[in-house]
């Protein structure tokens, strides 16, 4: 049984010999009265103003003038009376110093207790036995300045589905056009220091897998009219009732998602979609994903599909996909590179995604090629591939020509669907006819950190040491355990990689035992009693704000939790995102001083291990509060936050949780560790219905 860690402050009070002091004062009383008679009647006594004797000038009015014209100086050390006076002054000054010291110590003690009282620090992960210094909570409230304790206000209704950095009207006013007004623009964004409220009829999403097929319509910004006006394929995938949207992801109807997935597998040369894993396919980028039905169907075959779509003020594909518990983020093919490394995905899928691949001299197809691994597949479904009019046929030929110049091999075409396969041979590019464009990027081209850079008109990834065919890589789940050669690419050793994996397995076991509202209450237990662990499907959407090498994600999967993780690699740290992608997971590069590209209320758990140390070890253009406000926007009501860091930063973070209205508790990791856990839960606050 783990024991609670009690924190307290012991203050040693100095022992002042008050009796001796007052004895000497009474003994000296007659001399004091004589001095007062000779002194000016307008001067205060030294006890009332102890610093006056030290800092005043030697004027006549200070000591008086004797009858012989010489000043009578009480500090002349020639007489017993002057020596006694000096001792008395020293004792008085000592008394004042002790009083000041006591007051300072009392103030520091109050601050220390107020910091510890709200921490509720407990020893161990599983045993929570008693609150710490709860009787001093009121003292803690008084000790902090009122401005520091002031809770943040809730945002107005217009921010209910607020996504910073995607303000179409502002972008148009700034001169963006030709589709670029939907692009991400963070430089001109003003911070909103308020908390985004849930809609009036918001309900906690249903747990997986039920939540994959049924969502509450009030949780998203979509109307019944928008559902009914969706395209024919989308309508066949959705049903609408008064409060819910149902997705028929397992439908066997004609043109259903299962038949569609089966068709793609056959075009590649596989028996069915269950064989994608054996063909080296694990991660898929679904461009313009609709409402995520393609990825929802493939998830049961252990395929991980990342949905991306442009920002939409309402009826958002990304918002509904995340509400279903599927990977998604706001991103678009317009003018910027996506924040993924080169050679990141085994398949790119675009079914009527609305992208004109023949535009801008094929530069959008070059970006698709950058993201695709050697031997990977590009699947495109569009009426353009089967059109009869001359204009559409001309555009289709242009796209075919671009694909050929990129060394893509067309495997098959059925109806409106075409499947290309990217070459596995680097010398294919040098053997193109007449040195056909686009050219290869130079060796100095940074293919691993493309954080929203301008699109490049050159083929990237050919110089990368990660140029490995999808069929040469280990199949899932063996891919999760990179071999010695693959780790060497990132400067890692097998033993340190294995040690990292084991430490995260232990951390996940301990984390899971803490994810209960009982952590915020006094929970009496008899010896031997244990809390029942949370169910395996308690969480679905998980955000790791500082993923490092993906060990947290791997440990969750190996523990059998029914979830997926968005692995975020901060720009301020080492870029291990290519390694995470090579392990078969999804992730993104991000600057945490900017808003994350997603809608509010999309994650069940936000995890941040070492993020505060990483971000605030250097001068940042944002504060810890700015990052926490963004976490609150991303987190679903009743969602969890786990922050792991050094004690001073954890204490600073805990102090901010009051302003964010989070329930919070600090938990000790190990008795000899300099790190702590901050466990928080976001309460459910809803806007009142009009």
């Amino acid at each position: 049984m783990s024991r609670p860690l009690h924190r307290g402050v012991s203050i040693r009070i100095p022992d002042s010999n008050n009796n001796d002091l007052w004895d000497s004062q009474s003994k000296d009383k007659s001399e004091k009265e004589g001095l007062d008679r000779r002194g000016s009647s307008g001067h205060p006594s030294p006890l009332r103003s102890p610093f006056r004797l030290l800092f005043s000038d030697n004027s006549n009015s200070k000591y008086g003038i004797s009858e012989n014209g010489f000043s009578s100086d009480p500090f002349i050390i020639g007489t017993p009376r002057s020596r006694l006076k000096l001792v008395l002054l020293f004792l008085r000054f000592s008394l004042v110093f002790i009083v000041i010291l006591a007051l300072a110590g009392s103030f520091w003690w109050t601050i220390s207790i107020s910091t510890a009282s709200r921490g509720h620090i407990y020893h161990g992960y599983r045993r929570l036995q008693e609150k710490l210094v709860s009787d001093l909570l009121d003292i803690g409230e008084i000790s902090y300045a009122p401005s520091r304790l002031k809770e943040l206000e809730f945002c107005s209704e217009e921010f209910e589905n607020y996504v910073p950095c995607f303000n179409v009207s502002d972008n148009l006013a700034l001169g963006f056009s030709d589709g670029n007004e939907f692009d991400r623009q963070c430089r001109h964004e003003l911070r909103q220091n308020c908390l985004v409220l849930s809609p009036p009829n918001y309900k906690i999403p249903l747990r997986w897998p039920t939540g994959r097929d049924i969502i509450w319509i009030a949780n998203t910004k979509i109307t019944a009219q928008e559902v009914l006006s969706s395209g024919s394929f989308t309508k066949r995938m959705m049903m609408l009732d008064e409060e819910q949207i149902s997705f028929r992801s397992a439908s066997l109807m004609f043109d259903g998602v299962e038949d569609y997935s089966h068709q793609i597998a056959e075009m590649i040369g596989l028996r069915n979609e269950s064989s994608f894993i054996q063909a080296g396919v694990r991660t898929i980028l679904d461009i313009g994903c609709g409402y995520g039905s393609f990825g929802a169907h493939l998830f049961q075959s252990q395929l991980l599909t990342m949905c991306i779509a442009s920002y939409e003020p309402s009826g958002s594909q990304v918002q509904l996909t995340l509400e279903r518990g599927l990977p998604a983020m706001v991103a678009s093919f317009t003018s910027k590179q996506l924040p993924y490394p080169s050679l990141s995905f085994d398949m790119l899928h675009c079914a009527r995604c609305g992208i004109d691949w023949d535009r801008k001299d094929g530069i959008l197809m070059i970006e698709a090629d950058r993201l695709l691994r050697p031997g990977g597949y590009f699947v495109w479904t569009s009426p353009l591939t089967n059109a009869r009019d001359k204009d559409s046929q001309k555009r289709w030929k242009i796209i075919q020509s671009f694909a050929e110049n990129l060394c893509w091999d067309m495997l098959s075409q059925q109806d409106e669907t075409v499947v290309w396969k990217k070459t596995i041979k680097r010398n294919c590019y040098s053997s193109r006819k007449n040195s056909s464009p686009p050219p290869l990027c130079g060796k100095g081209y940074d293919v691993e950190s493309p954080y929203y850079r301008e699109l490049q008109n050159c083929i990237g990834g050919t110089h990368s040491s990660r140029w490995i065919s999808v069929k040469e890589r280990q199949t899932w789940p063996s891919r999760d355990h990179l071999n010695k050669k693959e780790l060497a690419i990132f400067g890692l050793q097998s033993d340190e990689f294995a040690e990292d994996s084991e430490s995260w397995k232990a951390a996940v076991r301990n984390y899971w035992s803490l994810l209960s509202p009982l952590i915020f209450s006094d929970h009496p237990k008899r010896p031997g009693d244990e809390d029942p662990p949370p169910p395996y499907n308690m969480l679905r959407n998980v955000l790791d704000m500082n993923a490092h090498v993906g060990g947290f994600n791997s440990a969750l999967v190996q523990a059998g939790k029914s979830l997926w993780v968005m692995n975020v690699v901060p720009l301020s740290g080492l870029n291990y995102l290519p390694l995470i992608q090579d392990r078969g997971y999804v992730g993104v590069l991000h600057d945490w001083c900017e808003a994350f590209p997603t809608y509010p209320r999309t994650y069940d758990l936000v995890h941040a291990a070492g993020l505060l140390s990483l971000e605030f070890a250097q001068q940042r253009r944002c504060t810890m509060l700015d990052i926490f406000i963004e976490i609150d926007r991303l987190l679903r009501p009743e969602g969890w936050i786990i922050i792991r860091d050094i004690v001073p930063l954890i204490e600073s973070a805990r102090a901010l949780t009051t302003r964010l209205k989070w329930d919070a508790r600090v938990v000790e990791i190990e008795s000899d560790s300099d790190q702590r856990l901050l466990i928080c839960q976001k309460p459910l606050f809803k806007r009142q219905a009009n």
Side-chain angles (χ1 to χ4, degrees), residues 98-109:
I98 290 171
V99 170
I100 294 174
L101 186 64
L103 289 174
S106 176
F107 178 77
W108 177 253
W109 174 81

mmCIF file with all atom_site columns, all heavy atoms in Angstrom, residues 98-109:
data_model
loop_
_atom_site.group_PDB
_atom_site.id
_atom_site.type_symbol
_atom_site.label_atom_id
_atom_site.label_alt_id
_atom_site.label_comp_id
_atom_site.label_asym_id
_atom_site.label_entity_id
_atom_site.label_seq_id
_atom_site.pdbx_PDB_ins_code
_atom_site.Cartn_x
_atom_site.Cartn_y
_atom_site.Cartn_z
_atom_site.occupancy
_atom_site.B_iso_or_equiv
_atom_site.pdbx_formal_charge
_atom_site.auth_seq_id
_atom_site.auth_comp_id
_atom_site.auth_asym_id
_atom_site.auth_atom_id
_atom_site.pdbx_PDB_model_num
ATOM 1  N N   . ILE A 1 98  ? 14.144 41.228 14.967 1.00 0.00 ? 98  ILE A N   1
ATOM 2  C CA  . ILE A 1 98  ? 13.473 39.940 15.210 1.00 0.00 ? 98  ILE A CA  1
ATOM 3  C C   . ILE A 1 98  ? 12.011 40.009 14.795 1.00 0.00 ? 98  ILE A C   1
ATOM 4  O O   . ILE A 1 98  ? 11.462 39.076 14.200 1.00 0.00 ? 98  ILE A O   1
ATOM 5  C CB  . ILE A 1 98  ? 13.611 39.554 16.695 1.00 0.00 ? 98  ILE A CB  1
ATOM 6  C CG1 . ILE A 1 98  ? 15.077 39.187 17.008 1.00 0.00 ? 98  ILE A CG1 1
ATOM 7  C CG2 . ILE A 1 98  ? 12.700 38.377 17.041 1.00 0.00 ? 98  ILE A CG2 1
ATOM 8  C CD1 . ILE A 1 98  ? 15.346 39.000 18.483 1.00 0.00 ? 98  ILE A CD1 1
ATOM 9  N N   . VAL A 1 99  ? 11.345 41.130 15.093 1.00 0.00 ? 99  VAL A N   1
ATOM 10 C CA  . VAL A 1 99  ? 9.934  41.286 14.700 1.00 0.00 ? 99  VAL A CA  1
ATOM 11 C C   . VAL A 1 99  ? 9.787  41.234 13.182 1.00 0.00 ? 99  VAL A C   1
ATOM 12 O O   . VAL A 1 99  ? 8.907  40.560 12.634 1.00 0.00 ? 99  VAL A O   1
ATOM 13 C CB  . VAL A 1 99  ? 9.370  42.601 15.268 1.00 0.00 ? 99  VAL A CB  1
ATOM 14 C CG1 . VAL A 1 99  ? 7.994  42.889 14.677 1.00 0.00 ? 99  VAL A CG1 1
ATOM 15 C CG2 . VAL A 1 99  ? 9.284  42.517 16.785 1.00 0.00 ? 99  VAL A CG2 1
ATOM 16 N N   . ILE A 1 100 ? 10.677 41.951 12.467 1.00 0.00 ? 100 ILE A N   1
ATOM 17 C CA  . ILE A 1 100 ? 10.611 41.943 10.997 1.00 0.00 ? 100 ILE A CA  1
ATOM 18 C C   . ILE A 1 100 ? 10.870 40.548 10.457 1.00 0.00 ? 100 ILE A C   1
ATOM 19 O O   . ILE A 1 100 ? 10.191 40.070 9.538  1.00 0.00 ? 100 ILE A O   1
ATOM 20 C CB  . ILE A 1 100 ? 11.631 42.950 10.421 1.00 0.00 ? 100 ILE A CB  1
ATOM 21 C CG1 . ILE A 1 100 ? 11.223 44.378 10.800 1.00 0.00 ? 100 ILE A CG1 1
ATOM 22 C CG2 . ILE A 1 100 ? 11.724 42.806 8.907  1.00 0.00 ? 100 ILE A CG2 1
ATOM 23 C CD1 . ILE A 1 100 ? 12.245 45.426 10.403 1.00 0.00 ? 100 ILE A CD1 1
ATOM 24 N N   . LEU A 1 101 ? 11.859 39.861 11.015 1.00 0.00 ? 101 LEU A N   1
ATOM 25 C CA  . LEU A 1 101 ? 12.174 38.503 10.576 1.00 0.00 ? 101 LEU A CA  1
ATOM 26 C C   . LEU A 1 101 ? 11.002 37.558 10.805 1.00 0.00 ? 101 LEU A C   1
ATOM 27 O O   . LEU A 1 101 ? 10.681 36.712 9.964  1.00 0.00 ? 101 LEU A O   1
ATOM 28 C CB  . LEU A 1 101 ? 13.426 38.000 11.305 1.00 0.00 ? 101 LEU A CB  1
ATOM 29 C CG  . LEU A 1 101 ? 13.971 36.641 10.847 1.00 0.00 ? 101 LEU A CG  1
ATOM 30 C CD1 . LEU A 1 101 ? 14.438 36.728 9.405  1.00 0.00 ? 101 LEU A CD1 1
ATOM 31 C CD2 . LEU A 1 101 ? 15.120 36.192 11.739 1.00 0.00 ? 101 LEU A CD2 1
ATOM 32 N N   . ALA A 1 102 ? 10.335 37.702 11.942 1.00 0.00 ? 102 ALA A N   1
ATOM 33 C CA  . ALA A 1 102 ? 9.177  36.852 12.239 1.00 0.00 ? 102 ALA A CA  1
ATOM 34 C C   . ALA A 1 102 ? 8.041  37.100 11.262 1.00 0.00 ? 102 ALA A C   1
ATOM 35 O O   . ALA A 1 102 ? 7.369  36.170 10.804 1.00 0.00 ? 102 ALA A O   1
ATOM 36 C CB  . ALA A 1 102 ? 8.721  37.096 13.684 1.00 0.00 ? 102 ALA A CB  1
ATOM 37 N N   . LEU A 1 103 ? 7.811  38.376 10.951 1.00 0.00 ? 103 LEU A N   1
ATOM 38 C CA  . LEU A 1 103 ? 6.749  38.698 9.986  1.00 0.00 ? 103 LEU A CA  1
ATOM 39 C C   . LEU A 1 103 ? 7.057  38.122 8.611  1.00 0.00 ? 103 LEU A C   1
ATOM 40 O O   . LEU A 1 103 ? 6.186  37.572 7.928  1.00 0.00 ? 103 LEU A O   1
ATOM 41 C CB  . LEU A 1 103 ? 6.574  40.218 9.899  1.00 0.00 ? 103 LEU A CB  1
ATOM 42 C CG  . LEU A 1 103 ? 5.952  40.890 11.119 1.00 0.00 ? 103 LEU A CG  1
ATOM 43 C CD1 . LEU A 1 103 ? 5.972  42.407 10.938 1.00 0.00 ? 103 LEU A CD1 1
ATOM 44 C CD2 . LEU A 1 103 ? 4.517  40.401 11.337 1.00 0.00 ? 103 LEU A CD2 1
ATOM 45 N N   . ALA A 1 104 ? 8.318  38.230 8.176  1.00 0.00 ? 104 ALA A N   1
ATOM 46 C CA  . ALA A 1 104 ? 8.702  37.679 6.867  1.00 0.00 ? 104 ALA A CA  1
ATOM 47 C C   . ALA A 1 104 ? 8.546  36.165 6.850  1.00 0.00 ? 104 ALA A C   1
ATOM 48 O O   . ALA A 1 104 ? 8.070  35.568 5.883  1.00 0.00 ? 104 ALA A O   1
ATOM 49 C CB  . ALA A 1 104 ? 10.141 38.079 6.533  1.00 0.00 ? 104 ALA A CB  1
ATOM 50 N N   . GLY A 1 105 ? 8.976  35.516 7.947  1.00 0.00 ? 105 GLY A N   1
ATOM 51 C CA  . GLY A 1 105 ? 8.824  34.063 8.017  1.00 0.00 ? 105 GLY A CA  1
ATOM 52 C C   . GLY A 1 105 ? 7.372  33.638 8.000  1.00 0.00 ? 105 GLY A C   1
ATOM 53 O O   . GLY A 1 105 ? 7.000  32.649 7.369  1.00 0.00 ? 105 GLY A O   1
ATOM 54 N N   . SER A 1 106 ? 6.526  34.406 8.701  1.00 0.00 ? 106 SER A N   1
ATOM 55 C CA  . SER A 1 106 ? 5.093  34.084 8.702  1.00 0.00 ? 106 SER A CA  1
ATOM 56 C C   . SER A 1 106 ? 4.498  34.208 7.317  1.00 0.00 ? 106 SER A C   1
ATOM 57 O O   . SER A 1 106 ? 3.692  33.387 6.884  1.00 0.00 ? 106 SER A O   1
ATOM 58 C CB  . SER A 1 106 ? 4.358  35.010 9.674  1.00 0.00 ? 106 SER A CB  1
ATOM 59 O OG  . SER A 1 106 ? 2.962  34.782 9.627  1.00 0.00 ? 106 SER A OG  1
ATOM 60 N N   . PHE A 1 107 ? 4.893  35.263 6.590  1.00 0.00 ? 107 PHE A N   1
ATOM 61 C CA  . PHE A 1 107 ? 4.372  35.445 5.221  1.00 0.00 ? 107 PHE A CA  1
ATOM 62 C C   . PHE A 1 107 ? 4.822  34.307 4.310  1.00 0.00 ? 107 PHE A C   1
ATOM 63 O O   . PHE A 1 107 ? 4.041  33.762 3.536  1.00 0.00 ? 107 PHE A O   1
ATOM 64 C CB  . PHE A 1 107 ? 4.861  36.787 4.682  1.00 0.00 ? 107 PHE A CB  1
ATOM 65 C CG  . PHE A 1 107 ? 4.422  37.061 3.279  1.00 0.00 ? 107 PHE A CG  1
ATOM 66 C CD1 . PHE A 1 107 ? 3.127  37.474 2.987  1.00 0.00 ? 107 PHE A CD1 1
ATOM 67 C CD2 . PHE A 1 107 ? 5.306  36.892 2.212  1.00 0.00 ? 107 PHE A CD2 1
ATOM 68 C CE1 . PHE A 1 107 ? 2.725  37.714 1.695  1.00 0.00 ? 107 PHE A CE1 1
ATOM 69 C CE2 . PHE A 1 107 ? 4.902  37.129 0.922  1.00 0.00 ? 107 PHE A CE2 1
ATOM 70 C CZ  . PHE A 1 107 ? 3.623  37.540 0.662  1.00 0.00 ? 107 PHE A CZ  1
ATOM 71 N N   . TRP A 1 108 ? 6.101  33.938 4.408  1.00 0.00 ? 108 TRP A N   1
ATOM 72 C CA  . TRP A 1 108 ? 6.608  32.836 3.568  1.00 0.00 ? 108 TRP A CA  1
ATOM 73 C C   . TRP A 1 108 ? 5.919  31.519 3.920  1.00 0.00 ? 108 TRP A C   1
ATOM 74 O O   . TRP A 1 108 ? 5.609  30.707 3.071  1.00 0.00 ? 108 TRP A O   1
ATOM 75 C CB  . TRP A 1 108 ? 8.111  32.723 3.757  1.00 0.00 ? 108 TRP A CB  1
ATOM 76 C CG  . TRP A 1 108 ? 8.706  31.583 2.986  1.00 0.00 ? 108 TRP A CG  1
ATOM 77 C CD1 . TRP A 1 108 ? 9.182  30.400 3.450  1.00 0.00 ? 108 TRP A CD1 1
ATOM 78 C CD2 . TRP A 1 108 ? 8.878  31.536 1.569  1.00 0.00 ? 108 TRP A CD2 1
ATOM 79 N NE1 . TRP A 1 108 ? 9.632  29.615 2.426  1.00 0.00 ? 108 TRP A NE1 1
ATOM 80 C CE2 . TRP A 1 108 ? 9.455  30.293 1.251  1.00 0.00 ? 108 TRP A CE2 1
ATOM 81 C CE3 . TRP A 1 108 ? 8.597  32.429 0.528  1.00 0.00 ? 108 TRP A CE3 1
ATOM 82 C CZ2 . TRP A 1 108 ? 9.768  29.907 -0.036 1.00 0.00 ? 108 TRP A CZ2 1
ATOM 83 C CZ3 . TRP A 1 108 ? 8.911  32.058 -0.764 1.00 0.00 ? 108 TRP A CZ3 1
ATOM 84 C CH2 . TRP A 1 108 ? 9.486  30.811 -1.033 1.00 0.00 ? 108 TRP A CH2 1
ATOM 85 N N   . TRP A 1 109 ? 5.672  31.290 5.223  1.00 0.00 ? 109 TRP A N   1
ATOM 86 C CA  . TRP A 1 109 ? 4.965  30.076 5.660  1.00 0.00 ? 109 TRP A CA  1
ATOM 87 C C   . TRP A 1 109 ? 3.561  30.018 5.069  1.00 0.00 ? 109 TRP A C   1
ATOM 88 O O   . TRP A 1 109 ? 3.099  28.981 4.617  1.00 0.00 ? 109 TRP A O   1
ATOM 89 C CB  . TRP A 1 109 ? 4.935  30.075 7.183  1.00 0.00 ? 109 TRP A CB  1
ATOM 90 C CG  . TRP A 1 109 ? 4.114  28.950 7.768  1.00 0.00 ? 109 TRP A CG  1
ATOM 91 C CD1 . TRP A 1 109 ? 4.480  27.670 7.950  1.00 0.00 ? 109 TRP A CD1 1
ATOM 92 C CD2 . TRP A 1 109 ? 2.775  29.056 8.259  1.00 0.00 ? 109 TRP A CD2 1
ATOM 93 N NE1 . TRP A 1 109 ? 3.466  26.952 8.509  1.00 0.00 ? 109 TRP A NE1 1
ATOM 94 C CE2 . TRP A 1 109 ? 2.395  27.778 8.706  1.00 0.00 ? 109 TRP A CE2 1
ATOM 95 C CE3 . TRP A 1 109 ? 1.859  30.107 8.362  1.00 0.00 ? 109 TRP A CE3 1
ATOM 96 C CZ2 . TRP A 1 109 ? 1.148  27.524 9.249  1.00 0.00 ? 109 TRP A CZ2 1
ATOM 97 C CZ3 . TRP A 1 109 ? 0.610  29.859 8.898  1.00 0.00 ? 109 TRP A CZ3 1
ATOM 98 C CH2 . TRP A 1 109 ? 0.272  28.588 9.337  1.00 0.00 ? 109 TRP A CH2 1
#
